[in-house]
Amino acid sequence: MSAAPRTLAAVEPAPREELVQLCAFQVGGEEYVLDIMRIREILAPQRITPVPHAPPFVVGVINLRGAIIPVVDLRERLGVPVTAPTRRTRLLIALIGTRKVALVVDAVTEVVRIPRAEIKPAPALLNAGGPKFFVGVCGQRERLKLLLNVRALLDSSVKVPGAELRALATAQASNEEGETP
Amino acid sequence: MREAPADPLDAFFYRPDEDPGEIPDINADAQPIPVPEESPRELLSFELAGEEYAVDIHRIREIVKVPPITEVPRAPVDVLGVMSLRGEVIPVFDLRRRLGLPPADDEPSKRARVLVIDAGEGTSGVLVDRVAQVVRLKPSSIEATPQGLGPGVQPEYLAGIGRVKNRMYILLDIRATLANAGKVRA
């Protein structure tokens, strides 16, 4: 298949050659990315006040300069072991619309700057039959990173596809990387 | 790759006007807090499972040291037992279980207390780890419980989150929390 024809959309998303910046982070040994424009702050872990009867992945709230923000442990949400905080553990303060959510991650790794066109669709295996938690994949063969749909992660009580499924899917995507599109 | 009219990837990229979905604005009055605007509320703060909670002080009839609590066979799961309050036998509820907190692993410490409360169905006691102090909260320092906590939260148990200086208290509506206590058997 030849290169995708260039079309102008009615409402303008970033043109496919435009560089996007993605903040990459690690959860349970795998790498994910979020749009860097969504990340307001990156904090060292701080005291989290638990709230009774919250769903398992909402570990509580923090007080961020006066605002009370719910904290989602991405390790719990993605079904990976929650290890004790290390020096690399961070709280990502993510914006969804005007609301903030704090996400606990094992480490923040880098900012990836790539043309939007280099983002490939997520393997269908990952999103089968449920909300689209992973909206794409980027990166080199050995270091594929999944694009997270943070809103789906927070809205849904559907379990996120587990680690084995993700490993299988990224292996599959990794193989496809080597093929000509 | 084909160009779809609406690229599903668009939702990934942040836009200030995007729809936040199920996460309402934490600072809005998602739950109306029944607080008279004028006077500060007086609350009793106490510790349970390492966190500080607070309840309206006028709900509390007495605070007593933990008396012998007689376990009742085949009692509902959230009842620790019964105690004698000057001859009156009242149930003692397990507040940790009502709130979904881990059960206490030790005997109550010397600082534990029973809060005697007049709930809808008569007098009852709740066991807490430690009573801290009376806290006066201006209505303006009380915030609605963040609803982004998802479907599991019982919003009626929580009357909001109060902040005084650097401390946060989880405000409990103790009547709502105990409203159906003692109904479910193990």
Side-chain angles (χ1 to χ4, degrees), chain B residues 31 33 142-146 155 157-162 169-172:
Chain B
Q31 282 171 276
I33 297 179
I142 297 171
E143 299 176 16
T145 319
Y157 288 13
L158 305 180
I161 298 206
Y169 298 98
I170 303 169
L171 305 191
L172 279 187

Side-chain angles (χ1 to χ4, degrees), chain A residues 41-130:
Chain A
E41 291 181 61
I42 301 176
L43 305 176
Q46 54 178 259
R47 188 158 187 276
I48 297 175
T49 303
V51 179
H53 286 304
F57 54 84
V58 176
V59 292
V61 295
I62 57 169
N63 180 341
L64 186 67
R65 295 184 304 279
I68 309 271
I69 296 180
V71 181
V72 171
D73 194 326
L74 276 188
R75 291 133 349 145
E76 287 205 50
R77 191 69 178 105
L78 295 172
V80 299
V82 179
T83 51
T86 70
R87 280 191 309 174
R88 302 184 71 203
T89 310
R90 294 289 180 267
L91 284 178
L92 296 182
I93 308 298
L95 259 186
I96 306 177
T98 50
R99 280 92 214 226
K100 289 182 181 172
V101 173
L103 308 172
V104 184
V105 303
D106 290 330
V108 174
T109 48
E110 56 174 333
V111 175
V112 174
R113 305 175 86 228
I114 51 172
R116 184 169 163 141
E118 280 188 24
I119 299 174
K120 305 288 181 254
L125 196 58
L126 282 184
N127 289 319

Side-chain angles (χ1 to χ4, degrees), chain B residues 91-183:
Chain B
V92 182
F93 290 110
D94 184 349
L95 196 54
R96 283 166 178 250
R97 183 176 287 264
R98 294 298 303 163
L99 298 177
L101 299 170
D105 44 2
D106 304 313
E107 292 299 315
S109 79
K110 280 201 311 184
R111 299 164 103 196
R113 294 288 183 269
V114 171
L115 307 182
V116 180
I117 292 168
D118 277 324
E121 317 228 332
T123 309
S124 54
V126 292
L127 181 67
V128 302
D129 297 341
R130 188 178 76 88
V131 166
Q133 56 182 62
V134 174
V135 177
R136 307 182 94 224
L137 276 187
K138 293 199 289 271
S140 55
S141 50
I142 297 171
E143 299 176 16
T145 319
Q147 281 205 342
L149 301 170
V153 186
Q154 309 269 49
E156 61 269 16
Y157 288 13
L158 305 180
I161 298 206
R163 284 187 297 114
V164 175
K165 298 184 183 127
N166 282 331
R167 309 181 79 140
M168 280 208 309
Y169 298 98
I170 303 169
L171 305 191
L172 279 187
D173 179 343
I174 193 68
R175 288 182 138 195
T177 310
L178 295 181
N180 289 310
K183 298 278 170 41

Side-chain angles (χ1 to χ4, degrees), chain A residues 1 35 38 55 99 116, chain B residues 1 10 14 18 23 98 149:
Chain A
M1 192 164 130
D35 180 15
R38 225 179 248 298
R99 280 92 214 226
R116 184 169 163 141
Chain B
M1 276 183 287
D10 283 344
Y14 173 70
E18 67 190 359
I23 307 193
R98 294 298 303 163
L149 301 170

